[in-house]
Amino acid sequence: MDTGLTGKNVLVPGASSGIGLAIAQALGAEGANVVLAARREDVVKAEAARIPSAVGIALDLDDDGAPAALVAAAEDAFGPIDVLVLNSGGPPPGGAADITDVHALAAVNQLLLQHLRLTSLVLPGMRERGWGRIVAVGSSGVQQPLPNLALSNLGRAGLAGYLKTLAAEVAADGVTVNMVLPGRIDTERVASLDSAAAQRTGATPAEARAASEAGIPARRYGTPAEFAAVVTFLASAPASYVTGEQLRCDGGMVRAY
């Protein structure tokens, strides 16, 4: 399949490792110009050097002005952004009864407001050009809230509502807006969650992972590359009639359709 991504300009935050890096690599393999952004300067620049046409930019999106600085730097490198991937780390685990105002505001900033700011910066150009792709990395918790991940459930649900509303507003302009929902993907983030689960239950991290895998019909964790392939399709030209969707990549973990 010709993805039509050759020469397209892509921005991927959170791209120094895990899902974000896999997405950057997959889009770069399709001929896109990729801007990788992350906090760790040495890592993000080293990873960008391994992609045919890419640059790495180090910044912290929690900083004031960082989203505008990132978009400006990305446009300086390659030109207007055609594909925006909304990706960030997740807040710490914890129950809903323990959430404070400070925790909630931090989660909403990380999982909703940062993405809203980036979107608002690139969306006008996409609409003017009549082509654009916004693909968000969400969580299966958007459809089936995850135990002990109350902050993640809170922030990502807000992002899902915003993106669904936005998708209907910009579809006629040639801009698609979709969300991919990972289940248990084999990343550092999921390993840390397994370790936290092990500490709560007295199990080892390996035992916690085995218990988690037992609840997945595929009986394994997914790979970042498998997840990135789904994002690549939604970013592609052939996916032009797919918008406002939440597509799970979870090995069947969420049992509802």
Side-chain angles (χ1 to χ4, degrees):
M1 181 176 66
D2 181 1
T3 61
L5 288 168
T6 299
K8 295 295 187 184
N9 302 326
V10 178
L11 175 56
V12 187
S16 60
S17 64
I19 284 175
L21 176 57
I23 292 170
Q25 292 169 334
L27 294 171
E30 294 297 323
N33 306 312
V34 186
V35 177
L36 295 78
R39 292 185 176 92
R40 298 179 290 177
E41 182 174 11
D42 57 336
V43 176
V44 74
K45 290 190 174 181
E47 294 296 350
R50 298 185 178 97
I51 297 172
S53 179
V55 296
I57 297 174
L59 51 70
D60 186 343
L61 285 175
D62 285 334
D63 294 340
D64 292 343
L70 174 57
V71 171
E75 292 179 342
D76 284 344
F78 293 120
I81 302 302
D82 301 300
V83 178
L84 173 63
V85 177
L86 300 176
N87 177 54
S88 68
D98 300 322
I99 292 178
T100 66
D101 286 0
V102 172
H103 295 148
L105 288 171
V108 168
N109 183 64
Q110 180 182 30
L111 299 177
L112 172 59
L113 296 182
Q114 289 181 6
H115 300 324
L116 191 155
R117 294 176 188 123
L118 287 172
T119 300
S120 68
L121 289 164
V122 304
L123 185 61
M126 290 180 176
R127 300 179 81 175
E128 183 178 349
R129 295 188 301 276
W131 201 99
R133 301 287 185 267
I134 297 171
V135 186
V137 177
S139 165
S140 61
V142 169
Q143 295 184 350
Q144 182 174 293
L146 296 165
N148 207 51
L149 285 177
L151 288 170
S152 177
N153 295 335
L154 170 70
R156 297 189 198 278
L159 178 63
Y162 163 68
L163 294 177
K164 181 63 175 178
T165 307
L166 179 65
E169 295 176 0
V170 301
D173 299 319
V175 180
T176 67
V177 182
N178 293 289
M179 197 172 204
V180 186
L181 310 182
R184 305 295 279 188
I185 305 298
D186 199 1
T187 62
E188 293 177 6
R189 162 74 172 172
V190 169
S192 71
L193 294 176
D194 285 342
S195 294
Q199 291 177 356
R200 291 194 307 272
T201 62
T204 67
E207 289 169 339
R209 173 168 177 152
S212 181
E213 288 177 328
I216 302 170
R219 295 295 187 268
R220 65 176 178 86
Y221 286 180
T223 68
E226 289 173 318
F227 186 89
V230 179
V231 174
T232 298
F233 169 70
L234 291 175
S236 73
S240 59
Y241 204 57
V242 181
T243 195
E245 298 298 329
Q246 294 176 358
L247 181 57
R248 294 195 302 268
C249 182
D250 68 355
M253 187 178 74
V254 174
R255 303 307 171 93
Y257 278 110

